[in-house]
Structure formats: structure tokens, C-alpha cells
Amino acid sequence: LAGVLLSNIGYSLVPPIEADRLPTIYLTTPDDLTKRRPPKWILRSNFAGSQNMHALGHYAATTLKYRRVVSIAMDNPFGHEQIGGFQRVFQDNGGAVVQKIWVPLNAMDFGPYLTQIRRDADAVSAVFAAGQAIRFVKQYSEQGLKARLPLIGSGVMMDEHALRAMGDEALGVISVLHWSPVLDNPANREFMRLAEAKLGKRPAYFSAVMYSTGRWIAEAARLVGGQVEERERFLDAIRRAIETVEDPRGPIKLDDFNNPTENFYILKVERVGGQLQNSILHTYPMVSQFWTHKPEEFLQSPAYSRDYPPVKP
């Protein structure tokens, strides 16, 4: 089984997957699927919910030198985990998240939420996706906030699936993700050639991750001589394929909890050749879902949630 994006579906499928001993590669991101209760038969192809935002928290504090940040995000577990990861590392490096604003998933008018943003902050860290991302970035600029408070956030918000519907309002936004169309390695150049020919446009990161998934499955089937019904062998072969097949994202290594340790890239939206793109400012190599902590130390802290870590007003 491959795919599965939504967290609620991902969690609900765990019992039958485990009962049927079905080798599975998940796109979905909930932290605890690869932290506090990792299933045996499910490997993650993407990233843990908070993983990329740990890197952004570090970059915001140490390179951008922000000290006071407001967070605004979708009010669901993904938004909570993303902001939690940013906040923990940002605060560990001398910053403070002074306000958290949670936006319902069906909200498309951000005016009531944008007016709440404290103007005494250094920047705003945001997490939205799809239609919400497009509308949020546009309305953030229209209300004059972009000129006063730099916008940073999750790479999911600025990924090509949303960026292709944005204009100048996206310029200068800094984000973090494990892939960019402009990554210059042989595997990504080949992926971009194939994907752009098929799609007629720049692919989104979802396409890049699922392209990887397909290649891993094909290589694992080759490693077991086509005997994919030997499920233990096939699962082990998928693990080997993940670490040996050259990937568009760069090097990948599965940890003991079935989550990829991989590069994360600090990205900035620029206009190049008349087209918006996520240019790479900095690479954080081989980032663990536990950041720089040992798993047993990291797991002593509460899970990231709507209220943890708490705001530092």
C-alpha cells in the first residue's frame, strides 16, 4: 500500500495494516506514527509533522536573528505539530513565540485573524496548505502586513501546488521543505524532466515524494526477485531501497522508528526568468525527526499540541 495523505485516514488504517502484515509506505505526517507508537509495517516516505519546522526555528533564531515571532496556522494536528516544532527550536535558541493564532480549516477570509497579529513582533510564522495557503499569503500582503512583518513558514504553504496560483505577494517569503524543483542533482534533474513533460507544469513536492515511493517499490521487488508475497523480505528490501536508490531530495536514511532522516532546505521565493521559484538559501543536512536530541530524551517531553509548547508573552 502506498500513499495516504490525511492524518485521520492514516491512523485509522494502522490496525488493519498491522493485522494483515501489509508492507506500506505512508505520505501522511503525524508525529506519533513514527515517534511514540510506530507500527512495524508502515514506513514513512515524507517527513514527520514537526521535522522540517525544527530547522526553520533554528534558522529564524540564528541566521535571521528574530527574537519575537507570532505564529498563525490551521487549527488541526498538522498545524499544531508544525508550529510546535518551530517554537521549540526557536525558543531553545533565544527566541520567543509571543502569540499563537489558530484558524479553522474552512476559513477563507483571514481578516479577523490578521487583525489580531501583534505588531510588536519581528516576524510571522505561518502554516497553511492548498486554497488556504493561496488566500492567506494574498490577504497578508493586501493588509499591509508583509511590509511590516516578514513572513516565514512551512514549505507546504509555499510549495508549487500553491505557488503556481500566487503572484508578487509571495516574493521574499522564506520557508522550509525537503525538496525544491531547483535542487541540482542527477535524480532531481531526471525527475523534473519526466514530471514537467507529463504534467505540463512544475510538479509539487507530493509528486516528488510519490515518485520516490514508486522507485523504492520497484527496486525492492527487484531485490527479492519478484517474490513480493514474502512480506518480511519485501519490507526489508524497501528499507534497503530507500537508502540506496538515488533520490531527487538528496540522501535519505530511515531511523529506527521508520521515519526518513533527510536534508531540509531553507527556501526563498524569487522570480527567475519570469517565473516564481523556491530558491535554496541554506541546507540543513540529514535532519532527524528528533532534531539534535536523542530519541529517548526527546520523547520525555509532551507531544506537540495546540497548547504545547506554551506561548511566551
Side-chain angles (χ1 to χ4, degrees):
L1 177 65
V4 184
L5 178 61
L6 299 181
S7 299
N8 58 326
I9 296 173
Y11 274 126
S12 67
L13 285 174
V14 171
I17 288 170
E18 293 293 283
D20 290 348
R21 302 169 65 249
L22 179 63
T24 299
I25 306 177
Y26 262 6
L27 184 66
T28 192
T29 63
D31 268 8
D32 273 359
L33 269 177
T34 56
K35 280 192 173 76
R36 290 167 178 83
R37 41 179 172 155
K40 173 182 177 180
W41 292 90
I42 298 174
L43 314 177
R44 181 153 24 223
S45 60
N46 199 3
F47 58 87
S50 59
Q51 190 174 357
N52 65 323
M53 294 294 277
H54 288 145
L56 185 65
H58 184 269
Y59 191 83
T62 62
T63 299
L64 300 176
K65 304 297 184 183
Y66 297 149
R67 287 296 171 260
R68 295 164 57 80
V69 166
V70 170
S71 71
I72 180 169
M74 58 179 76
D75 194 3
N76 70 346
F78 181 71
H80 305 158
E81 289 174 354
Q82 289 256 289
I83 292 300
F86 171 86
Q87 183 178 356
R88 176 173 181 168
V89 177
F90 183 63
Q91 294 183 167
D92 283 350
N93 286 274
V97 172
V98 298
Q99 183 185 26
K100 291 182 182 180
I101 300 170
W102 301 113
V103 180
L105 294 178
N106 61 351
M108 288 298 177
D109 177 8
F110 291 90
Y113 308 98
L114 294 173
T115 58
Q116 298 176 40
I117 292 175
R118 292 178 54 165
R119 271 42 174 189
D120 60 348
D122 298 321
V124 170
S125 177
V127 180
F128 294 101
Q132 276 199 317
I134 296 165
R135 288 175 178 260
F136 171 78
V137 173
K138 183 176 179 62
Q139 291 175 32
Y140 189 87
S141 179
E142 287 175 342
Q143 293 213 9
L145 284 166
K146 184 181 173 187
R148 299 178 58 180
L149 295 169
L151 182 60
I152 62 176
S154 174
V156 174
M157 182 174 72
M158 304 308 297
D159 174 62
E160 273 59 27
H161 79 279
L163 187 63
R164 63 174 67 109
M166 296 182 188
D168 287 350
E169 68 273 12
L171 289 170
V173 177
I174 290 176
S175 65
V176 61
L177 200 59
H178 54 3
W179 176 78
S180 165
V182 301
L183 273 174
D184 190 17
N185 64 59
N188 195 50
R189 289 195 296 270
E190 176 65 5
F191 164 67
M192 290 297 296
R193 183 186 68 80
L194 294 168
E196 288 185 310
K198 186 172 183 64
L199 300 173
K201 58 188 175 185
R202 278 190 168 178
Y205 93 92
F206 303 107
S207 299
V209 173
M210 292 308 294
Y211 171 79
S212 299
T213 300
R215 296 179 78 209
W216 298 337
I217 293 170
E219 173 63 9
R222 187 191 69 78
L223 289 172
V224 298
Q227 303 300 309
V228 296
E229 66 276 7
E230 297 179 17
R231 298 184 178 193
E232 290 271 7
R233 283 186 63 215
F234 188 43
L235 187 68
D236 288 342
I238 295 173
R239 291 177 179 278
R240 297 201 304 277
I242 288 172
E243 297 187 5
T244 57
V245 173
E246 191 174 11
D247 196 272
R249 289 172 274 176
I252 297 175
K253 183 175 177 59
L254 273 186
D255 65 19
D256 292 337
F257 296 76
N258 295 335
N259 190 74
T261 296
E262 55 192 326
N263 291 353
F264 281 92
Y265 305 97
I266 301 297
L267 309 171
K268 182 178 182 179
V269 177
E270 298 178 334
R271 192 177 292 280
V272 178
Q275 185 175 15
L276 294 178
Q277 73 172 36
N278 281 298
S279 299
I280 299 170
L281 298 180
H282 180 75
T283 300
Y284 281 89
M286 299 306 282
V287 175
S288 164
Q289 65 173 327
F290 301 106
W291 186 231
T292 58
H293 306 277
K294 294 180 179 178
E296 58 271 20
E297 295 172 349
F298 188 100
L299 294 173
Q300 288 177 8
S301 299
Y304 296 134
S305 67
R306 202 176 193 270
D307 302 310
Y308 183 82
V311 166
K312 289 186 175 182

